[in-house]
Amino acid sequence: MTTVATDAVMDYDEAMTKFDPVMGLEVHVELHTATKMFCGCPTEFGAEPNSQVCPVCLGLPGALPVVNEKAVESAIRIGLALNCEIAEWCRFARKNYFYPDMPKNFQTSQYDEPIAFEGHLDVELEDGSVYRVEIERAHMEEDTGKSLHIGGATGRIHGADHSLVDYNRAGIPLIEIVTKPMVGAGERAPEVAKAYVSALRDLLRALDVSDVKMEQGSMRCDANVSLRPRVGEPLDEAQLEVPLGTRTETKNVNSLRSVERAVRYEISRHAAILEGGGSILQETRHWHEDTGITTSGRVKSDAEDYRYFPEPDLVPVAPTRETVETLRGTLPEPPGLRRKRLQSDWGYSDLEMRDVVNAGAVELIEETVAVGASAGAAKKWWLGEPSRRANAEGQDIVTYAAGLGLTPAHIAELDGLVAAGRLNDSMARQVLDGVLAGEGTPTAVADARGLELVQDDGALEAAVDKVIEANPDVAAKIRDGKVAAAGALIGQVMKEMKGQADAGKARELILAKLQ
Amino acid sequence: MTDLPTDLTRATAADLAGALASGAISSVEVTQAHLDRIAAVDGQVHSYLHVDEAGALAQARSIDDRRRAGETLGALAGVPIAVKDVMTTKGLPTTCGSKILEGWIPPYDATVVSKLREAGLPILGKTNMDEFAMGSSTEHSAYGPSHNPWDLDRIPGGSGGGSSSVLASFQAPLATGTDTGGSIRQPAAVTATVGTKPTYGGVSRYGLVALASSLDQAGPCGRTVLDTALLHAVMGGHDPMDSTSIDAPVPPVVEAARAASVKGMRVGVVKELGGEGYQPGVRARFDESVALLEELGAEVVEVSCPNFEYALAAYYLILPSEASSNLAKFDAMRYGMRVLPEGIDAPSAEQVMAATRDAGFGPEVKRRIILGTYALSSGYYDAYYGSAQKVRALIAQDFDNAYAQVDVLVSPTAPTTAFKLGDKLEDPMAMYLNDIATIPANLAGVPGMSIPSGLADEDGLPAGIQILAPATKDERLYSVGAALEAALVDRWGGPILDRAPVLGAAAAKGA
Ligand SMILES: [Zn+2]
């Protein structure tokens, strides 16, 4: 069943003339530590339900948590990469509420003592301008189990016949990264939201702390949106002083594109309500990827009380300044700087680099160049057929290529075959098709399909002679200095050779014979 | 070595261990003797919630086999033990005295239980307790109260009244306990047995069904100070599964118990624990014990701990707060009792949770969950939980100041001897006041012990003296306790439990 839109929305551009949007993003990231946050269970995705559990993560009576030191290290590294302060001493806290997928009926989290706080992330927008996202905090917590609601129309608990719970996910380390209110973005708010999540994803990937797969839920985004009356330009002091409006929190927006769409939708929906004299209900909203709308979830009132208190089963986390500095030393080059360096190394234009980034192919190209391909060829091959097919499949290029077994080494090999003069461009395309079809390495495909430029100059020369003889008019033009006319002859030579010839060489021969 | 009594259940654990090591007796004999005793008297005392006859005998047989094969075994190998039902035991029911866990068989052993098994102590069964350790009498057990072997109409203390009555009625030579506000020490005092609450973190909490995590501490129970020390050494030590466990060896408790000396020690009598509200007979036995300590070579001074006055109030905010969260997991979703609400066709998960918790928890548990939920709610947190934590810091400071002057502190363990079953059941405040002398140690995390000080003149019932030491100095409890015990037993002309009434069929027949 598809969800039917019932809410009025205002045209986005019109909304922007009347209101100023403010956002807050909460991103949950599952760390890819080998074991869970408080026990030794494995964290692998996709295992048999309830096969990766123990007394601790099932919350059995008597069981106690022990902090995963690796997870704490990852949290500190994330904090440092987000330019945060790292707490000298902080505690876990219990967030108390009842839900069947939470084994203890409290979540071990952090409350007023986060491990990292007061940071920022500079985010580059499509036009090259930079928006600074202020980070309020990054804290450690554990994931809950996963409920599967059987029966009922929506797959939600409401109306379901019964529910199944898989606790494999319960206790997987999570880092929640919370921004301060993001102001001043104006009409670019949806773009800023997407760019932030994208930049955060790149950063976390570079830190190698998480799989950051939004489609698998290892990175999840909740988007808070509110509107206030527009009184000037987004960054005008008068505009920034207008009090914030009531916000809604759209939960589990699980792709970059959805982040942008969900923020945009909520802005239009809020605008319609406010314009009609209504007021915004502080609530959580569910995002519907298929229809591109949000629907009402749980009403969030101030009465909701998690009764936080310091977790008495765990000792405080007190990283020494030495440890923090050691971890700072392990930080990778910030993705923004790294991108600039690669662009200059590769000699790409801004536009070319943006295409590569948008295609998610930076790492693939880097690896391909590292195993011997030219930067130009690496870009050409990755952004060609593989990228087109990945898009058609709705997958990112890295996942798609990995699924097919297409590696940077393959692309480098293909480029090598072209550079060595064995393949011409159109033959190389055929070889790549073969590799994508699972026929083997480029060399193996070329061998099997009998694709090879004719290296016998005698055969080529004979073909050239034959074509010159058959086209005396064109030959005469070339003799008169109209070199451009050679193209017509080259085409015929290639035809004569059934494509198995090097067009460059054919051109050389023709010109040599006629000049 | 001392000669063993013909009735093996009257022997101390230390003597049984010696006879087992020498091959004079087998673990099967000792274990069987206790199982027979249980069969004879537990109908009157109701100490056990579950007896594991087959399991205990199998463990005993295995220990006997290993000993015959020449294996080196632990000091207490072959000596049977009773385990408080708050500790998880793989394959054995663990109810915590609550209906809500009826029928639950844990898939894992508490660390303490693993240590007992590794040390070769056959587990006789699980002992009764106030539900989730909330109480001072076992009257809050969902399975009915245990009885005090000194007077079956009276309480055996709580929450560990099952363990204390097991020892006082000779149904086991050793037992485990947990002490959140006095649940080891107060039951020991009212049954004339011995019990120690070690330093917080000295014994692993892994597998103890939590009441209040920051206060709970498992400890040993015995009939003599040396027996208790031997068990302490088995139970204690660092556990990587418990983050709050102390990463240090067990203090030299057995050596201290054997040395049994107070010479040159400074003993502080806590001014605030022993005045108004303390029964005269309890007070008299305490004063005599203090005088004895002086005779034995200790220097006795009075010390003041002014903030102890606020301990009870702070305790009854911190404990319910933590308990309200710890007990949230009992929701019918994964284990234990499940009750479907009446008159609802297709109940939601929340409705099943509510119905189960309503039916599964007793009134005292509900009272404390409600108290704790309230104390933690936003807007009240600072006034209640926050203030209580400040009091806690002040009490720790009182202890620090006191220990700057003295080596150990002493007080009566409980203000009164055992009261009658039903006497305080309807008056929670009167019940809570029982723990007034034991609570400060839990708030500060310092170790404490109770040993018998004699019988009160007015009712002929046991009274206890509490010894407290600085954190991680548990051995001092045993030096002082063993020295005082020796002097008292000497004065009494034999163990005090010899004066307890005779129980069982033998008693009925007048034999
Ligand atoms: Zn686990």
Side-chain angles (χ1 to χ4, degrees), chain A residues 232-302:
Chain A
E233 290 306 307
L235 288 168
D236 286 355
E237 205 156 307
Q239 180 64 65
L240 293 173
E241 277 173 7
V242 178
L244 301 184
T246 304
R247 67 171 197 276
T248 53
E249 183 181 14
T250 305
K251 289 281 201 191
N252 293 324
V253 189
N254 289 338
S255 73
L256 291 179
R257 191 165 155 259
S258 295
V259 171
E260 187 169 20
R261 289 169 75 209
V263 168
R264 199 180 167 93
Y265 177 84
E266 277 296 284
I267 289 173
S268 289
R269 192 182 66 84
H270 282 213
I273 293 170
L274 295 171
E275 182 71 1
S279 53
I280 305 297
L281 188 63
Q282 188 174 336
E283 61 179 352
T284 61
R285 307 279 302 176
H286 295 298
W287 168 247
H288 301 269
E289 181 91 44
D290 49 354
T291 49
I293 63 161
T294 66
T295 54
S296 178
R298 188 162 40 108
V299 175
K300 232 183 175 172
S301 66
D302 291 333

Side-chain angles (χ1 to χ4, degrees), chain A residues 61-63 65 94 96 103 105 305 313, chain B residues 108 207 243 325-326 328 331 334 378:
Chain A
R94 291 187 184 180
N96 294 286
N105 285 322
D305 185 353
D313 283 329
Chain B
Y108 77 107
S243 310
S325 173
N326 283 331
D331 63 0
R334 288 161 297 276
S378 90

